[in-house]
Amino acid sequence: MGTVILLQVTDEAQSLAWDGDDLVDVVGGRRWGPDGVERQVSDDHGYSFDRSVSSPSGRFTVVYDERGTGALLLKGDQPVRELERNDDYAEDFDYPVALGVLPDGREVLVHCPDEYDLLEIEDTETGERLTGGDRTRNDVLHSRLAVSPGGTHLLSAGWLWHPYGIAEVFDLERALRDPAVLDGRGVPSFNPGNSSEVISACWLDGDRVAVATGEEFVDEEETAETTASAEIADLGKRRLGVWSLSEQRWVHRNRVDFHIGTLIPRGDTLVSLYGHPRLIDVTTGASLAEWPAVEVPSREGSYGITHIPTPVAALHPDGNRLAVAQPDSIAIIALSGKA
């Protein structure tokens, strides 16, 4: 196990991101340098925001209320425009928002401003909506959105009203030509869980998606309605799988005997946050290291439980340092192994 250093805080961090070797809590307007000293660098933004997501370039950040309707787009620490999601079931699932960069270099914002089941893509800088025309609602409650490295695809780890979690992947190039692509079940070859509930998913790189399933199992009739491709083998219950878009198959599929929780990608390993951080080998599903002394919320999935928030953590771009918010500190974990 790697060493753990604790940075003292005046209040628990509600968002964390790395800026070089500095840690930033955009929601709280604070920064910690390599000396570990907390500095107030901006005021709060006048709303009960409790989470944030940053663009790959670092130029933009969205601060938002995880189980509310309000959000604010920032450029640096300056407000650009207010955002809002549909209020249907807003208190029941995590705010759907992602920032990414398309292959042509355009920075985009993906969210659900009109309906919970209608994904919209906007130019982050100008606010121009890049999706429009006739759309069809599909009753998927989108959540935990993520644009792939390279900007070619979009991941949604949301849920259906059974309720149970699902994952979908959408081709962004096709979606910008025909926004109705975002109203379907995503890339036809991608089959995330089939009959097992998806509790977490993330991009490992521009081609591979890591998907974790829980104990919930959907009966065959319901499965037939939601499966993208019946020929593809089911991932199964309590599994960690890695799907390759180019190979159109599960390249790894392993049973796990622990709760996965929130996933943070790290090359061929994953950081899992449930109860405490854990480092997982994506090829075997084995736990390589864990840090029981660093507590994080025990939370799986994007919907339901309201009193357990999503863990606040950030992996340094070098892959070797993980910052995790604690009630009275920030734990910096030195991760061992190749990132």
Side-chain angles (χ1 to χ4, degrees), residues 107-305:
E107 300 207 39
V108 291
L109 166 72
V110 187
H111 62 150
C112 298
D114 301 326
E115 305 289 350
Y116 59 74
D117 52 359
L118 286 181
L119 291 163
E120 303 289 358
I121 305 172
E122 298 175 2
D123 184 296
T124 308
E125 184 87 54
T126 66
E128 176 192 0
R129 185 170 292 188
L130 306 178
T131 46
D134 294 333
R135 303 289 299 276
T136 303
R137 299 183 62 183
N138 63 8
D139 218 25
V140 172
L141 293 94
H142 293 292
S143 190
R144 298 195 174 185
L145 305 178
V147 177
S148 66
T152 60
H153 290 81
L154 172 72
L155 171 66
S156 171
W159 57 295
L160 297 170
W161 190 260
H162 286 282
Y164 69 98
I166 65 170
E168 298 175 320
V169 169
F170 300 94
D171 184 319
L172 287 178
E173 183 180 7
R174 289 183 58 216
L176 290 173
R177 294 197 307 265
D178 177 14
V181 165
L182 298 172
D183 306 334
R185 290 299 184 206
V187 178
S189 63
F190 179 66
N191 180 19
N194 219 337
S195 57
S196 300
E197 178 175 37
V198 173
I199 57 172
S200 191
C202 70
W203 292 104
L204 291 174
D205 51 39
D207 179 63
R208 297 178 301 162
V209 186
V211 181
T213 58
E215 292 292 342
E216 283 294 317
F217 186 83
V218 186
D219 66 36
E220 292 183 1
E221 181 178 346
E222 291 173 321
T223 298
E225 295 176 358
T226 58
T227 296
S229 175
E231 292 79 20
I232 302 174
D234 181 19
L235 181 54
K237 295 192 297 182
R238 194 55 70 187
R239 299 262 181 154
L240 176 63
V242 176
W243 180 268
S244 167
L245 295 180
S246 60
E247 296 184 34
Q248 299 185 18
R249 68 182 182 92
W250 295 109
V251 291
H252 304 296
R253 191 169 38 167
N254 295 284
R255 174 81 180 180
V256 291
D257 58 3
F258 47 83
H259 291 278
I260 292 288
T262 301
L263 290 174
I264 300 176
R266 182 179 177 266
D268 286 328
T269 58
L270 287 164
V271 173
S272 164
L273 300 173
Y274 184 95
H276 61 268
R278 185 189 300 266
L279 190 63
I280 304 173
D281 185 331
V282 301
T283 63
T284 65
S287 177
L288 302 176
E290 55 185 302
W291 295 268
V294 180
E295 296 184 3
V296 297
S298 297
R299 165 91 182 277
E300 286 186 323
S302 63
Y303 71 90
I305 298 172

Side-chain angles (χ1 to χ4, degrees), residues 14-15 24-31 40-54 59-65 70-83:
Q14 294 184 298
S15 65
V24 182
D25 174 10
V26 178
V27 173
R30 296 174 294 169
R31 177 182 289 264
Q40 194 75 29
V41 293
S42 65
D43 297 327
D44 64 50
H45 301 288
Y47 194 85
S48 58
F49 302 126
D50 57 11
R51 291 294 181 271
S52 72
V53 61
S54 299
R59 297 175 61 222
F60 297 97
T61 302
V62 173
V63 292
Y64 59 92
D65 183 355
L72 180 66
L73 175 66
L74 305 171
K75 186 175 184 180
D77 60 2
Q78 297 301 308
V80 176
R81 62 182 180 276
E82 294 182 355
L83 308 174

Side-chain angles (χ1 to χ4, degrees), residues 296-336:
V296 297
S298 297
R299 165 91 182 277
E300 286 186 323
S302 63
Y303 71 90
I305 298 172
T306 59
H307 64 285
I308 303 178
T310 299
V312 174
L315 181 67
H316 192 279
D318 67 12
N320 294 324
R321 284 170 286 174
L322 177 71
V324 184
Q326 303 287 277
D328 56 2
S329 65
I330 298 172
I332 310 294
I333 302 172
L335 300 177
S336 59

